[in-house]
Amino acid sequence: MTTLATGPDTLTRDALAVLQPGFDGTTAPDWVRRRLGEGLASVALFGRNVVTEEQVTALTAELRAEREDLLVAIDEESGDVTRLDVRTGSSFPGNHALGAVDDPALTRGVARELGRRLAACGVNFDWAPSADVNADPDNPVIGVRSFGAATDLVARHTAAWVEGLQSTGVAACTKHFPGHGDTNVDSHHAVPRIDVDADTLYERELPPFRAAIAAGTRAVMSAHILVPALDAERPGTLSSRILTGLLREELGYQGLIVTDGMEMRAISGTYGLEHGVVLAIAAGADAICVGGGLCDEATVLNLRDALVAAVRSGELPEERLHDAAARVRELARWTAQARGGAASTEPEPEIGLIAARRALRVTRAQAGAPVTGPLFVAQFNPQANIAVGDETPWGVAAELSRLLPGSAAGSFSGADAGADALAAADGRRIVAVVRDEHRHTWMGAALDALLAARPDTVVIEMGVPQAPPRGALHIATHGAARVCGVAAAEAVVAG
């Protein structure tokens, strides 16, 4: 058994070390500075903390003035889920676009350029990539965040992404273990359940995580999903059978295990935030992601105190908390060493647009007249995925307005979206922009109305292209990153 230097200070420092909290503002709050001196070893950045790359660089420098060996985490998947480009849309296509191209060298290059940018900003821990196999096309939370629906494709691109990112000294965090792709519930709202047998799980969901482990991923993120074939009682984040028995012992993974956001209703609404955090560490998690919603000092202190109390009551073994904190500090040491030893990489600022162009799938239903302006862009907006957020712009309107001056745009949703778009177009040729048409009945009906009245309508699908192509010109971008919109607009003008 590990010999521990027991005492209040050690317990408190270890309890703080396993937390990865967020905070408000674009500068370092005083309370975060204080807690860094008391043992806090990680912080997390969200969209609310980002204005420009220069500002993020200044922010991380402020934080490291208090603790040099600090993990600065971010949820930067590129594509639809972006924090670094939260106000403009991502400069890199996401996983689904890279999977559509299916060139692991390109995926590796995109992740390397993303890692270079993160490292330049002082960010050294990225909660990405998603290794989920998108087995259910109606999945409301994964979708274009997945490389695809084929296990072998997801596995090879997950490995390439991990290798590319970590070549820059930024630690990858492969998620969402043991696989979130076959769910029809968003764990931000409730506990998803995956009712597949163990053979299916081992053959479909686990190979991408095996590939990530073989590629050296420094962290794995747990999923708040119930998988009865593995544990009928507790979701992955709280299951020792899944985190310790499967991930650690069976798959042989020895790096950091971090939880998905603990404020998500799948955990906080079922177990309570404080109790859920204790259960997660006891099950084998090493780091607690918190701060997407609750981002104040009181939350951090409550969680610290809950962990300390659990050790003192015997609910949480002290050895387990100490081991978790040690793994956090070890990852911080790795990032410092990797940053110093990583080969300098030449910037490839255009690689994101190059990848987005390669990911386009263009279907011409008819040899119609060339597309000329001005056009009317009808953007059909579904409810925003919480992981993506509703603050990041998407679509093609801005780029088409630049390429075809005088073009106009409108945003529509609901039962009358098609009729409203037709009226707003006022006779101009329409470019209809959709996102996961197959998941939204009203969106399909809107396209029906547009195409019945205007068969020359151009359709751009910026989600998973599950519905059959239609329109005079159909363009599938496999994601809604800014560069995907630029590539699609170029294709519209090219006809």
Side-chain angles (χ1 to χ4, degrees):
M1 180 175 291
T2 304
T3 300
L4 301 176
T6 58
D9 285 346
T10 300
L11 274 181
T12 299
R13 295 186 74 83
D14 283 352
L16 281 172
V18 302
L19 302 179
Q20 294 188 343
F23 55 86
D24 265 332
T26 56
T27 58
D30 289 341
W31 72 264
V32 173
R33 292 172 180 267
R34 287 197 306 274
R35 301 308 167 189
L36 288 173
E38 296 172 5
L40 187 66
S42 311
V43 296
L45 303 184
F46 295 88
R48 62 176 178 261
N49 305 119
V50 176
V51 178
T52 65
E53 292 187 28
E54 292 76 17
Q55 167 264 322
V56 174
T57 303
L59 170 58
T60 59
E62 282 185 273
L63 294 166
R64 287 207 171 86
E66 305 296 330
R67 180 174 185 138
E68 187 174 357
D69 63 334
L70 178 68
L71 284 175
V72 179
I74 198 167
D75 191 7
E76 179 58 68
E77 297 179 12
S78 72
D80 290 30
V81 179
T82 181
R83 307 299 177 238
L84 204 58
D85 292 329
V86 65
R87 302 177 192 281
T88 60
S90 182
S91 301
F92 306 99
N95 285 3
H96 208 64
L98 295 172
V101 178
D102 195 12
D103 178 352
L106 179 66
T107 295
R108 194 175 294 108
V110 167
R112 183 171 55 246
E113 178 62 15
L114 173 63
R116 189 193 64 78
R117 285 182 60 192
L118 289 173
C121 292
V123 177
N124 56 4
F125 186 24
D126 190 6
W127 293 328
S130 168
D132 306 298
V133 178
N134 201 45
D136 184 348
D138 291 331
N139 191 315
V141 68
I142 301 300
V144 294
R145 300 168 68 195
S146 168
F147 288 111
T151 295
D152 57 346
L153 179 142
V154 175
R156 62 177 169 267
H157 286 277
T158 295
W161 212 97
V162 167
E163 291 165 355
L165 185 78
Q166 292 190 166
S167 70
T168 66
V170 177
C173 181
T174 305
K175 62 188 184 186
H176 306 82
F177 188 82
H180 209 313
D182 192 17
T183 61
N184 56 18
V185 172
D186 186 340
S187 50
H188 289 88
H189 303 299
V191 181
R193 180 186 177 105
I194 297 183
D195 283 310
V196 298
D197 57 42
D199 287 345
T200 300
L201 183 84
Y202 274 73
E203 293 171 5
R204 187 180 67 190
E205 260 71 37
L206 295 188
F209 291 97
R210 292 183 186 274
I213 292 168
T217 187
R218 305 303 302 191
V220 170
M221 178 177 281
S222 66
H224 305 329
I225 57 174
L226 190 66
V227 187
L230 299 175
D231 188 330
E233 297 177 356
R234 288 187 174 173
T237 294
L238 310 184
S239 171
S240 61
R241 296 179 192 174
I242 291 173
L243 298 188
T244 300
L246 177 58
L247 183 54
R248 287 264 186 245
E249 296 172 359
E250 189 171 340
L251 299 188
Y253 174 68
Q254 295 304 312
L256 189 78
I257 299 175
V258 61
T259 71
D260 206 344
M262 294 297 283
E263 304 106 310
M264 293 161 67
R265 297 300 296 168
I267 299 298
S268 64
T270 306
Y271 299 89
L273 181 59
E274 289 83 2
H275 189 221
V277 165
V278 171
L279 292 175
I281 297 295
D286 305 306
I288 300 295
C289 169
V290 66
L294 299 172
C295 52
D296 57 290
E297 183 177 19
T299 297
V300 171
L301 297 182
N302 287 342
L303 297 181
R304 178 202 66 185
D305 293 347
L307 288 165
V308 170
V311 169
R312 288 176 174 161
S313 71
E315 181 182 5
L316 176 63
E318 185 175 355
E319 293 90 345
R320 174 77 275 274
L321 180 61
H322 181 70
D323 175 63
R327 289 180 189 275
V328 173
R329 297 175 187 125
E330 172 56 31
L331 181 60
R333 283 192 292 271
W334 178 88
T335 60
Q337 294 166 358
R339 184 172 63 249
S344 61
T345 56
E346 291 296 322
E348 295 183 79
E350 293 300 310
I351 193 171
L353 182 55
I354 291 169
R357 287 168 176 158
R358 290 182 63 185
L360 291 185
R361 297 294 179 266
V362 180
T363 304
R364 292 174 177 83
Q366 60 189 52
V371 175
T372 57
L375 302 171
F376 183 78
V377 180
Q379 182 165 305
F380 296 114
N381 286 314
Q383 183 175 358
N385 177 319
I386 291 179
V388 174
D390 57 8
E391 58 188 333
T392 303
W394 68 284
V396 301
E399 187 65 14
L400 278 177
S401 292
R402 185 184 72 81
L403 295 174
L404 298 172
S407 294
S411 181
F412 308 92
S413 62
D416 298 323
D420 292 344
L422 277 169
D426 195 25
R428 287 169 290 192
R429 188 169 183 183
I430 297 172
V431 175
V433 186
V434 296
R435 203 171 185 175
D436 290 339
E437 179 203 339
H438 68 284
R439 294 201 303 111
H440 304 284
T441 302
W442 68 265
M443 200 179 288
L447 284 186
D448 290 342
L450 287 185
L451 292 169
R454 294 295 303 267
D456 63 344
T457 294
V458 174
V459 178
I460 301 177
E461 170 61 85
M462 301 195 77
V464 176
Q466 190 73 17
R470 52 183 175 154
L473 181 70
H474 185 277
I475 301 170
T477 63
H478 302 91
R482 179 184 61 81
V483 287
C484 294
V486 171
E490 293 172 345
V492 170
V493 173

